[in-house]
């Protein structure tokens, strides 16, 4: 059975895609954030992801302090955590924030707690915050009886290299957690893990930048065949130390088909929103 | 045979380490760059790495243009490619620059060519610029095997607290470690089963790793101001 999907469909301003949004502990890209937030049916933060949500939505506008000095009052205005002021919105509350809470700032945690967001502590050190957040998300999807097309994860591809690898590891576990495809997006990159079998990817949204790749992370793939790429594979072995497809690009068809015998990581570039 | 090394030793201001420096196409971190450059015995750039070397060493200071407007001359000073001005040095010429030259800027390539740097074009599209640059480097230095027993000294003071063991590309069926907070004993490391991330050190200052297959070690480096 061939699985079809359009990786960047969630970034289109229009469309009928039903998706959940999961925010990890990396700076948020302003380009697509608001569009993704407004269209998601469920929104969650994994631990320190809440810090970045708080900052990009200026959650701290209400922390205006007053000091009495003699007869005068000195008002100290909002102090952004990371970036410069922007209009305040009260509509950016996640459905829940989960994690072992070693990254979320105390004031951020308190802020969302006071606002009534569900805080779910998941102390288990055998799994990452991302994995545990995904487990909770799947429970909520089932509880609400939602039909979800894709789970969109923001962050996970920048900063510490071990954390990037941990994101990839979560994609391996995701197949046992949820039947819904999971994609991870940060800056100009997207990754998703293709399970053994046939896949048809539509890459004609206009938001694709020109590079893409097929990365045999974790295991060699002994039999990979593609169409729609500039450098296609025909029953090729993909293996670190032998052949890894990087800096690949598309032909003009707008469709990429990939057949693989083992899990294979697909990665592609996303145009900067101003250039899209 | 056990291989010992101190991953961050090259960043120490003192020491007798003999090493080569290879610069790829990413912004250079100013914190350690000058120290690394001055101590390396061989220095190379892979394609666009030369752009970043040029910029961080202000190779373009000589491009001061003069325009005559009437009786006056207008001098246009150095225009940095990416960052703000710093003192010029003429000592930052790599031993060679290799690659398919699709990233190096024409003016940068010309600059280093005029200065006598070796430019080695490697058009083969089956390998990255990094790989090909390393092949050229490997002709001058001796290659050591990577599998087996390893002893890593992590007591330079420059280590930040995280580290990891990543079985990229293949499972490792038998990994044993000491010196980590979460050690492994004949463990399997495999994506989908177990990948060691967010690990950290015990107080010994030494990590030993025995692996049966190639295994990627990764660790954090303190920001230079905090080191």
């Amino acid at each position: 059975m061939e699985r079809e999907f359009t990786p960047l469909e969630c970034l289109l301003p229009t469309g009928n895609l039903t998706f959940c949004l999961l925010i990890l502990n990396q700076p948020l890209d302003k380009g697509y954030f608001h569009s993704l937030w407004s269209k998601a049916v469920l929104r969650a933060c994994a631990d320190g992801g809440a810090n970045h949500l708080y900052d990009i939505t200026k959650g701290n506008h209400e922390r205006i302090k007053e000091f009495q000095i003699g007869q005068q009052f000195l008002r100290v205005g909002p102090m952004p955590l990371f970036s410069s002021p922007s209009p305040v919105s009260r509509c950016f509350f996640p459905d829940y924030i989960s994690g072992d809470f070693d990254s979320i700032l105390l004031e951020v945690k308190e802020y969302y707690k006071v606002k009534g967001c569900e805080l779910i502590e998941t102390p288990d050190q055998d799994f990452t915050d991302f994995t545990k957040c995904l487990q909770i998300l799947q429970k909520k999807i089932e509880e609400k009886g939602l039909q979800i097309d894709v789970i969109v994860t923001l962050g996970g591809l920048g900063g510490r290299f071990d954390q990037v690898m941990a994101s990839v590891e979560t994609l391996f576990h995701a197949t046992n957690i949820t039947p819904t495809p999971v994609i991870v997006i940060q800056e100009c990159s997207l990754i998703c893990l293709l399970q053994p079998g046939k896949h048809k990817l539509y890459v004609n949204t206009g938001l694709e930048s020109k590079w893409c790749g097929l990365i045999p992370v974790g295991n060699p793939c002994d039999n990979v065949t593609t169409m729609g790429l500039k450098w296609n594979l025909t029953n090729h072995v993909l293996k670190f130390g032998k052949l890894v497809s990087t800096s690949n690009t598309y032909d003009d068809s707008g469709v990429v088909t990939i057949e693989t015998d083992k899990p294979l990581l697909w990665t592609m570039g996303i145009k900067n929103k101003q250039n899209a």
Side-chain angles (χ1 to χ4, degrees), chain A residues 7 24 29 35 46 50 76 158 182 203 244:
Chain A
L24 303 183
D29 304 303
S35 163
V76 178
V182 181
V203 292
V244 176

Side-chain angles (χ1 to χ4, degrees), chain A residues 139-204:
Chain A
K139 270 205 203 116
K140 292 195 181 284
I141 289 170
E142 284 165 11
E143 277 164 15
K144 293 174 192 267
L146 296 171
Q147 291 295 311
I148 303 294
D149 297 315
V150 65
I151 295 169
V152 180
T153 311
L154 295 182
L157 303 180
R160 282 168 43 171
F161 182 74
D162 67 330
Q163 296 292 291
V164 176
M165 290 291 101
S167 299
V168 175
E169 169 69 348
T170 296
L171 292 184
F172 274 80
H173 288 287
T175 47
N176 298 324
I177 295 171
T178 175
T180 307
V182 181
I183 64 175
V184 184
I185 293 175
Q186 183 167 352
E187 292 167 37
C188 66
S189 300
L190 172 149
I191 64 169
C192 72
L193 189 63
L194 304 176
Q195 289 303 310
K198 275 180 148 173
H199 304 266
K200 197 167 184 175
L201 276 55
Y202 293 98
V203 292
N204 54 356

Side-chain angles (χ1 to χ4, degrees), chain A residues 10 13 30 41 46 66 90 97 122 140 144 147 163 183 189 202 213 215 219 223 227 232 238 248:
Chain A
C10 60
K30 286 188 174 156
V41 297
E66 285 193 351
R90 293 170 192 252
I97 303 169
T122 54
K140 292 195 181 284
K144 293 174 192 267
Q147 291 295 311
Q163 296 292 291
I183 64 175
S189 300
Y202 293 98
I215 320 292
N219 51 257
N223 198 338
M227 282 172 56
N232 281 308
L238 283 182
N248 210 330

Side-chain angles (χ1 to χ4, degrees), chain A residues 57-227:
Chain A
T57 57
K58 282 290 143 278
N60 59 355
H61 75 288
E62 290 165 349
R63 282 170 52 250
I64 293 171
K65 294 182 174 170
E66 285 193 351
F67 299 92
Q68 184 169 4
I69 303 172
Q71 292 298 315
Q72 291 192 313
F73 283 88
L74 177 71
R75 288 190 102 211
V76 178
M79 303 273 281
L81 287 171
F82 307 124
S83 55
S84 51
S86 64
V88 161
S89 170
R90 293 170 192 252
C91 307
F92 290 96
F93 301 136
D95 293 280
Y96 68 93
I97 303 169
S98 68
D100 53 14
F101 296 150
D102 62 352
S103 303
I104 190 170
L105 296 171
L106 195 58
E107 59 190 18
V108 170
K109 192 174 162 198
E110 284 307 304
Y111 176 79
Y112 285 117
K113 188 172 162 185
V114 156
K115 295 296 175 190
C117 298
E118 193 181 358
L119 297 178
I120 306 171
E121 193 166 355
T122 54
D124 184 351
Q125 289 302 304
D126 282 342
F127 296 101
T128 61
D129 291 331
F130 181 10
T131 300
K132 290 177 287 186
C133 195
L134 206 53
Q135 287 168 334
I136 295 167
L137 191 65
Q138 180 58 23
K139 270 205 203 116
K140 292 195 181 284
I141 289 170
E142 284 165 11
E143 277 164 15
K144 293 174 192 267
L146 296 171
Q147 291 295 311
I148 303 294
D149 297 315
V150 65
I151 295 169
V152 180
T153 311
L154 295 182
L157 303 180
R160 282 168 43 171
F161 182 74
D162 67 330
Q163 296 292 291
V164 176
M165 290 291 101
S167 299
V168 175
E169 169 69 348
T170 296
L171 292 184
F172 274 80
H173 288 287
T175 47
N176 298 324
I177 295 171
T178 175
T180 307
V182 181
I183 64 175
V184 184
I185 293 175
Q186 183 167 352
E187 292 167 37
C188 66
S189 300
L190 172 149
I191 64 169
C192 72
L193 189 63
L194 304 176
Q195 289 303 310
K198 275 180 148 173
H199 304 266
K200 197 167 184 175
L201 276 55
Y202 293 98
V203 292
N204 54 356
T205 62
L207 301 176
E208 295 79 10
S209 69
K210 61 177 194 168
W211 67 265
C212 60
L214 287 162
I215 320 292
V217 180
N219 51 257
C221 299
D222 297 311
N223 198 338
V224 182
T225 300
T226 69
M227 282 172 56

Side-chain angles (χ1 to χ4, degrees), chain A residues 11-49:
Chain A
L11 301 180
L12 288 171
T14 55
N16 296 324
L17 203 67
T18 310
F19 65 88
C20 301
L21 190 64
L22 209 156
I23 298 173
L24 303 183
N25 190 8
Q26 281 290 310
L28 285 162
D29 304 303
K30 286 188 174 156
Y32 293 109
F33 170 74
H34 287 88
S35 163
L36 284 167
W37 183 274
S38 66
K39 295 192 293 161
V41 297
L42 266 176
R43 309 165 183 104
C45 295
D47 208 340

